[in-house]
Amino acid sequence: MQKHLQTLINLLTKNDLKALLQHYLDSNGSENIVQLGFMFQQGQIKSFDFYQQLATSFIENKGFSIGLIPKIKTNNTLSFFTPALQIEGNFSKIDHQKCNVLHYLFTNNQSVSSIHPPFNYVRSMMLFGSNEALRDGLCQRNQQNLTPIEAYLFTNKNLTPLANHELTAFLALIEIERKQQEVDKANYSFVIQEVSELCRSQAQLTNDDLQRIMLIATYYMTSIKQVFSDMH
């Protein structure tokens, strides 16, 4: 076990919060990512609130580490780090690929999974809280010129339909983005090409029943028939 992590565990055992914070501040950025990851794991096993508050306090005092951005790509990691993300516009912080947390959360393309991105959770935060940075993050473009929603359409490998509540939330997020900025229709052919290849790789029939086609049509304000035709 790495020394800095063993020190963290020892201080947790002693419940020395002041020393814990100082140890975190004294550790380097890569060590901080490991430490935050450990607290996240512990929070999934026991004392969620304690470890979440501790991690939030660390981030609040030292700032949001850019290295944490690509780590937040599941429902559980988002839930754990939400309080920290709501501090000082952290939802709109970007990494070297100009991706924010939402880009990683919406793509999460490590494997084909039955779990979809938490669109309803994100929409709820926008509706019931002061989350200007979250709305800003929804409109940010990465180095491929894709917003988080476009990144989902472009990259996410899970082609199974969204549940009704998640579909409703996704459509609402499209409207929220549209109110902030115009859709860049130049990305349309780029997305179509990638999704066509994704369907071929999964032997997925591209017909009118494929929900991703409907979502692309909705986002780029074109007809399902046109998307279907362009994919072929």
Side-chain angles (χ1 to χ4, degrees):
M1 180 179 292
Q2 300 173 68
K3 184 178 179 180
H4 71 88
L5 189 56
Q6 185 61 62
T7 300
L8 180 79
I9 293 172
N10 290 340
L11 292 173
L12 282 168
T13 302
K14 297 175 182 178
N15 199 32
D16 190 338
L17 300 183
K18 184 177 180 179
L20 274 167
L21 175 58
Q22 190 59 53
H23 174 61
Y24 183 84
L25 294 173
D26 291 340
S27 300
N28 63 40
S30 59
E31 291 171 343
N32 287 159
I33 298 301
V34 174
Q35 292 159 0
L36 291 170
F38 174 79
M39 286 184 282
F40 164 73
Q41 292 172 347
Q42 292 300 112
Q44 303 307 296
I45 300 170
K46 58 182 179 181
S47 305
F48 179 91
D49 290 344
F50 170 77
Y51 285 103
Q52 183 188 59
Q53 290 170 13
L54 193 61
T56 302
S57 173
F58 287 174
I59 292 170
E60 186 172 22
N61 278 275
K62 192 171 184 177
F64 191 83
S65 174
I66 299 303
L68 187 60
I69 292 174
K71 304 294 185 183
I72 303 175
K73 53 190 176 185
T74 65
N75 297 26
N76 288 340
T77 51
L78 176 63
S79 175
F80 185 82
F81 288 107
T82 287
L85 286 164
Q86 291 175 317
I87 299 170
E88 297 181 355
N90 288 333
F91 265 113
S92 57
K93 297 283 177 65
I94 57 173
D95 66 4
H96 65 286
Q97 299 185 81
K98 297 179 70 175
C99 291
N100 61 39
V101 166
L102 295 180
H103 282 101
Y104 288 103
L105 188 67
F106 289 1
T107 54
N108 189 17
N109 58 348
Q110 295 301 108
S111 62
V112 179
S113 170
S114 61
I115 299 175
H116 287 287
F119 297 122
N120 192 51
Y121 184 93
V122 173
R123 174 177 174 265
S124 296
M125 280 195 289
M126 289 185 175
L127 290 177
F128 302 112
S130 178
N131 285 293
E132 292 181 6
L134 183 54
R135 288 190 292 272
D136 291 343
L138 190 69
C139 297
Q140 285 177 311
R141 297 187 178 278
N142 61 17
Q143 65 183 14
Q144 294 177 295
N145 195 42
L146 301 173
T147 68
I149 288 176
E150 286 180 295
Y152 167 77
L153 297 173
F154 175 78
T155 302
N156 195 287
K157 294 181 180 180
N158 186 357
L159 294 172
T160 58
L162 296 170
N164 287 339
H165 68 287
E166 293 291 358
L167 174 60
T168 299
F170 184 82
L171 297 176
L173 291 177
I174 290 177
E175 287 303 312
I176 291 171
E177 181 189 327
R178 193 172 290 163
K179 288 178 180 178
Q180 309 300 315
Q181 65 185 10
E182 292 186 3
V183 171
D184 188 345
K185 293 191 176 182
N187 290 337
Y188 171 75
S189 59
F190 186 40
V191 171
I192 288 294
Q193 181 180 357
E194 190 67 21
V195 175
S196 295
E197 179 57 37
L198 181 60
C199 289
R200 284 193 292 272
S201 69
Q202 296 187 23
Q204 170 68 53
L205 293 176
T206 52
N207 53 37
D208 293 349
D209 294 328
L210 183 62
Q211 190 185 77
R212 187 70 61 89
I213 291 179
M214 181 272 287
L215 297 178
I216 292 171
T218 301
Y219 184 83
Y220 291 104
M221 294 175 286
T222 188
S223 68
I224 292 176
K225 182 178 179 181
Q226 184 62 54
V227 176
F228 179 77
S229 175
D230 292 339
M231 287 184 68
H232 290 79

